[in-house]
Amino acid sequence: MPALWIAHVHVTDAEAYGKYAKLAGPAIAAHGGHFLARGGDYHILEGADRERHVVAQFPSKQAAIDCYHSAEYQAALSHAKGAAERDLVIVELTE
């Protein structure tokens, strides 16, 4: 069953986070993920305002989890640590 990877991000170091984004895209694609939203206009209704929102769809929840733990994604993530405040959740789609 497909799953969504949903991130809400407040970038604190744009240069370092840019390095993360450049490497994360190919890592996500290598695990069957594709972006549905990556930045873009938004409207906050509830909760903390984080200016960047990313949604990627994966073929399964496990594919998204495997992507997160992959060497490629962890290499990308090393640039995001300390460069952003992030919330990341994987949600399985319902039928």
Side-chain angles (χ1 to χ4, degrees), residues 52-64:
R52 185 164 175 81
H53 308 277
V54 178
V55 180
Q57 184 171 338
F58 284 82
S60 67
K61 184 175 84 173
Q62 191 59 54

Side-chain angles (χ1 to χ4, degrees), residues 18-92:
K19 292 175 185 176
Y20 157 78
K22 184 175 181 179
L23 295 172
I28 287 168
H31 288 86
H34 66 277
F35 292 102
L36 301 175
R38 195 173 189 185
D41 191 27
Y42 71 97
H43 182 85
I44 188 89
L45 295 173
E46 294 184 24
D49 185 12
R50 297 209 171 161
E51 70 277 359
R52 185 164 175 81
H53 308 277
V54 178
V55 180
Q57 184 171 338
F58 284 82
S60 67
K61 184 175 84 173
Q62 191 59 54
I65 292 168
D66 291 346
C67 176
Y68 183 85
H69 292 291
S70 71
E72 301 88 354
Y73 186 78
Q74 289 299 307
L77 190 58
S78 71
H79 296 286
K81 293 189 177 184
E85 298 166 6
R86 301 173 2 126
D87 293 315
L88 176 62
V89 62
I90 297 167
V91 180
E92 197 169 61

